Amino acid sequence: MALVLTGGGARSAYQVGVLRALAQMMPRARNPFQIIVGTSAGAVAAGVLAAQAHVWRHGVAGLERVWSNFRTEQVFYVDAPHMVRSGLHWILSLLSGGLVLSPPKSVLDTSPLRALLGVEVDCSGIRRNVARGHLRACALCATSYASGQSVAFFDGLPQVPEWSRVQHVGRRAELTLDHIMASVAIPLLFTPIKLGSEYFGDGSMRQLNPLSPAIHLGADRLLIIGVSSQQGSGVDGDRGVSMPTPGEVFGFMLDTLFTDQIYGDLEHIERINQLVRAAPQTRAVRHINTLMIAPSVDPNEIAGQHIADMPRGLRALLRVFGGRPEVSGHQLTSYLTFEAPYTRALIELGYRDAMRSRAALLAFVGGEELPSVVTSPGVTQIT
């Protein structure tokens, strides 16, 4: 059984709600996920759960504590001095052609996030849990700016091999805070991270097959927790034919980055399963069961209800990107608003969605056969 946690910035609070429900459903069960894979913000939760796989409910409780009390300033600086310095740096760099000042490494300074993760995530625990049999493998996915490949850095049992495909590879590594920071490094917004001789950014960028790392690590049963509703795919349904702002376009790009590949990969797995059923004697591929749970309510709508909770500096930044967030740009807002009222709303949504799907989740995690169609809101099943 593998747990796959997708990327999604602040939206990843939804995943914490689903995990909280699972922990309540199985109050005395051992860690049900022998394989944990995380990408972008999902890599943070994956690191916490893998490091505490021996007491996985404590890991879930820790995630809920942090996400329920989040402030944007714990992720990146949003105070006026930092925002002004960043803006002036960009302006002087552009006006001078990079002669007076070189271009900034990123729009936002994520030093606070590194400091927070340094306290909350004990990466050495991942190796210990693998060695003690609490975990088969954990993978954190990032994208190499040198090769353009999607790289799944993993720690796991000795028999788990590395792999190499055209656009994605699996590299054995002792997972560290740098691997998490590399996975969450959204292009332009966050600074790339150097691992070895290469610089890496957000793991979703070139991840054409986001479910493949879990399969390569040996899983044939995948529970996927997404962060985008299938209905919320456009920039703004009320805008009609008016020109989208740069902020809306960037938000749309983030939706594409974090969501489209997942649904495409689920369709790919469904086709492979059909092939396996038609030709059971084939050994080139194997049958994969998946269950995906995603928000039943569009996070853009929830973000729009929490504009007033955003720090003033972040609201100013969003105005620069594309107009007043009160009018537009909820897509981008939904990824960047690391504020407790918003994250708590997402946690509660994840909890409610999971509890509505209680029977399906318990059966799936327990290895039981499920009906061919699951009709709960936000749930997609492939068998």
Side-chain angles (χ1 to χ4, degrees), residues 75-77 86 90 103-114 142-143 145 177-195 198-202 205:
V75 181
F76 48 81
Y77 291 115
S86 177
W90 278 101
K105 295 178 181 178
S106 61
V107 173
L108 302 170
D109 182 349
T110 55
S111 300
L113 177 61
R114 175 178 280 276
T143 303
Y145 283 112
L177 180 57
D178 280 339
H179 292 93
I180 298 177
M181 291 300 297
S183 187
V184 304
I186 299 172
L188 296 180
L189 292 182
F190 297 171
T191 305
I193 301 297
K194 189 175 185 180
L195 297 171
E198 301 174 63
Y199 280 93
F200 288 82
D202 195 286
M205 283 191 286

Side-chain angles (χ1 to χ4, degrees), residues 14-28:
Y14 175 84
Q15 297 172 334
V16 178
V18 176
L19 291 168
R20 169 188 158 198
L22 276 171
Q24 288 188 11
M25 293 177 199
M26 301 179 291
R28 289 178 293 276

Side-chain angles (χ1 to χ4, degrees), residues 18 47 76 91 96 124 138 178 182 202-203 211 213 232 280 291 307 314 341 362:
V18 176
F76 48 81
I91 291 171
S96 67
S124 63
C138 173
D178 280 339
D202 195 286
L211 304 181
L291 185 68
I307 296 297
L314 182 57
L362 284 176

Side-chain angles (χ1 to χ4, degrees), residues 1 13 57 72 86 132 141 144 150 161 171 250 260 263 305 314 339 344 378:
M1 168 71 70
R57 282 181 296 278
T72 303
S86 177
R132 295 172 182 174
C141 302
S144 169
S150 174
R171 295 184 191 172
F250 193 38
D260 289 2
Y263 290 110
Q305 299 166 10
L314 182 57
E339 291 295 322
R344 287 174 186 166

